[in-house]
Amino acid sequence: QVQLVESGGGLVQAGASLRLSCTASGRTVSNYRMGWFRQAPGKAREIVATINWTGSTYYSDSVKGRFTISRDNAKNTVYLRMNSLKPEDTAVYYCAADPRGGLTIATSTYDYWGQGTQVTVSS
């Protein structure tokens, strides 16, 4: 079993930056694909970014150029650096992990999930 704990969310003004962290425990996730998803009120959970064990990444069009996903295998941690935040980025952000390879964007392709961290961007 893998446990994921997110941190780093908060309330910021538009244009600000935040860095989310997701630390895994229970197993080493260095060869897992890791993803960040978000869910706004009344909306479905959607992909934000993913990174696989080789370091290859995928970003949704809405965050491309503003967000950066990275991983520190020594710390069993994945990060999401979020710059130029917009009110539409407001959501609960979830970390996800899966032992299978490749980059996938569907929630069904991730076995492990964190509890989420709230990000609120005011205008």
Side-chain angles (χ1 to χ4, degrees):
Q1 280 290 73
V2 174
Q3 294 78 44
L4 302 173
V5 178
E6 304 98 336
S7 61
L11 170 61
V12 297
Q13 291 188 331
S17 298
L18 280 175
R19 189 181 76 161
L20 305 183
S21 299
C22 169
T23 299
S25 61
R27 289 185 182 176
T28 299
V29 295
S30 59
N31 61 342
Y32 282 40
R33 60 171 171 247
M34 305 293 293
W36 284 99
F37 292 76
R38 66 186 181 188
Q39 188 166 18
K43 295 187 177 182
R45 194 170 297 189
E46 63 176 7
I47 184 69
V48 175
T50 70
I51 185 168
N52 71 2
W53 69 277
T54 70
S56 296
T57 58
Y58 166 89
Y59 297 93
S60 68
D61 287 343
S62 61
V63 307
K64 198 174 297 182
R66 299 188 296 123
F67 291 11
T68 303
I69 189 171
S70 61
R71 65 194 305 164
D72 185 337
N73 291 331
K75 296 182 178 180
N76 229 25
T77 298
V78 175
Y79 303 98
L80 184 69
R81 177 68 179 181
M82 306 185 295
N83 295 329
S84 303
L85 282 161
K86 305 175 181 179
E88 50 263 45
D89 295 318
T90 295
V92 177
Y93 283 71
Y94 296 91
C95 175
D98 193 90
R100 293 164 287 186
L103 288 174
T104 62
I105 64 174
T107 57
S108 60
T109 59
Y110 289 82
D111 282 350
Y112 304 104
W113 292 84
Q115 293 300 306
T117 185
Q118 176 71 47
V119 172
T120 303
V121 185
S122 63
S123 58

